[in-house]
Amino acid sequence: MDAAPDDDVCVKWSETLRVYHTTSCELESELQARHALGLSEFEVLLILSKCCGDGEGKAKMKDIEAEMYLSQSALSRTVTRLEKAGLVTRAVCDFDRRANFLMLTPSGRERFKAAQPTHREVLVKHLS
Amino acid sequence: MDAAPDDDVCVKWSETLRVYHTTSCELESELQARHALGLSEFEVLLILSKCCGDGEGKAKMKDIEAEMYLSQSALSRTVTRLEKAGLVTRAVCDFDRRANFLMLTPSGRERFKAAQPTHREVLVKHLS
DNA sequence: TGACATCCAATGCACGCGCATGTAAATTCG
DNA sequence: CGAATTTACATGCGCGTGCATTGGATGTCA
């Protein structure tokens, strides 16, 4: 698998850096400019919206954390921002009152639907 | 080129996210733990050391900036940290006194040589 | 049941980043 | 030449992040 040795991984890494930075940078600015969403915030909405079909959109914080590359504290604050913006609501889990459920509000679902094309558009532009 | 459409880019993107985050995260912590270097700092040393053969290691700030995914201000502060650590020296360019040269100190070259295997090791682990 | 370990989420804190601005040097052009 | 523009770098500022800690709920085991 690794016939050609060390330099290969360096090239691969610098290519990964290039793709990651250019793409995430444009995602960030386009989502912010067109939909007032940070990338982390969008990603939370994305998980919520696909995690639970159409009607609902519930998920536990821990489950979301597991699907994102974001620390527990950062996720907590991201959710706080989303909550303040009225896009998401926290609800305590009845069976385990340590845990929180997260739910999309109608406004949150709307915002996400509006933003998703922008997201796709940028991805297609950089990864096609 | 793009026979299978939208979902493809999403998969590709999430794969890029995974590789980028796991790799850069481990690079950061290994370089910090073993060599007291942040990833940005290492990357500056890397550019300096390959930019100019063995004996010297000079480069203009602007040229370094162009090779990194880092803002001008972030680079400026990164270099300040490297300078404080004694790994790098700033020198004013005689022909354009706005510009700075950057030079590896012997200590800087040493630190870089010590750190490079760690860097390679992590890359190989994640990208092979 | 009671003491201890574990788990979830929030928060204090420090840090690195990008944006906007400031300062000084160089370049352009009337 | 002299004023306006542009370029290089540093710095003030706000923000999002990770680490460490805290507080509260749950689980475990004797």
Side-chain angles (χ1 to χ4, degrees):
Chain A
M1 279 302 175
D2 43 287
D6 278 0
D7 277 354
D8 254 20
V9 294
C10 288
V11 172
K12 195 168 179 180
W13 178 237
S14 75
E15 181 60 12
T16 302
L17 283 178
R18 191 188 62 76
V19 171
Y20 172 78
H21 276 107
T22 55
T23 307
S24 70
C25 204
E26 189 166 328
L27 275 175
E28 194 81 52
S29 63
E30 289 300 301
L31 287 172
Q32 193 58 254
R34 300 196 209 170
H35 309 284
L37 284 174
L39 182 49
S40 304
E41 287 146 31
F42 176 85
E43 284 169 348
V44 170
L45 297 185
L46 176 63
I47 290 174
L48 274 176
S49 86
K50 77 176 176 188
C51 193
C52 312
D54 268 312
E56 285 301 294
K58 270 187 187 179
K60 288 195 195 145
M61 293 282 281
K62 276 293 154 189
D63 298 338
I64 298 176
E65 189 186 333
E67 291 193 42
M68 297 186 59
Y69 303 97
L70 206 52
S71 69
Q72 180 268 320
S73 66
L75 175 60
S76 175
R77 289 181 227 260
T78 301
V79 168
T80 300
R81 290 192 298 273
L82 287 168
E83 200 178 22
K84 277 181 185 163
L87 306 178
V88 138
T89 51
R90 286 187 226 247
V92 189
C93 171
D94 289 334
F95 285 27
D96 182 349
R97 287 202 303 243
R98 294 168 302 184
N100 279 354
F101 275 121
L102 227 59
M103 297 179 45
L104 275 175
T105 64
S107 165
R109 184 173 302 280
E110 225 173 281
R111 184 84 67 92
F112 171 73
K113 279 182 181 165
Q116 192 166 28
T118 301
H119 186 255
R120 276 193 198 286
E121 179 186 312
V122 174
L123 291 192
V124 168
K125 173 175 172 187
H126 289 282
L127 305 172
S128 61
Chain B
M1 279 300 175
D2 44 289
D6 277 359
D7 278 352
D8 254 18
V9 293
C10 288
V11 172
K12 194 168 178 177
W13 178 236
S14 73
E15 181 61 11
T16 302
L17 283 178
R18 190 187 63 75
V19 171
Y20 173 78
H21 275 106
T22 56
T23 307
S24 69
C25 203
E26 188 165 328
L27 276 175
E28 193 81 51
S29 62
E30 290 299 301
L31 287 172
Q32 192 59 253
R34 299 196 210 170
H35 309 285
L37 284 174
L39 182 49
S40 304
E41 287 145 33
F42 176 84
E43 282 169 349
V44 170
L45 296 186
L46 176 63
I47 290 174
L48 273 177
S49 85
K50 76 177 176 190
C51 193
C52 311
D54 268 310
E56 283 304 293
K58 270 188 186 179
K60 286 195 196 147
M61 293 282 281
K62 276 294 155 191
D63 298 337
I64 298 177
E65 189 186 335
E67 292 193 42
M68 296 186 61
Y69 302 97
L70 207 51
S71 69
Q72 180 268 319
S73 66
L75 174 60
S76 175
R77 289 181 226 261
T78 301
V79 168
T80 300
R81 289 192 298 274
L82 286 169
E83 200 178 22
K84 277 181 185 164
L87 306 177
V88 140
T89 51
R90 287 187 225 247
V92 189
C93 171
D94 290 335
F95 286 28
D96 182 348
R97 286 202 304 243
R98 294 168 302 182
N100 280 352
F101 277 121
L102 227 58
M103 298 178 45
L104 275 175
T105 64
S107 164
R109 183 172 302 279
E110 226 172 283
R111 184 84 67 93
F112 171 73
K113 279 182 182 167
Q116 192 166 26
T118 301
H119 186 255
R120 276 193 197 286
E121 179 186 314
V122 175
L123 291 192
V124 168
K125 173 176 173 186
H126 290 283
L127 305 172
S128 62

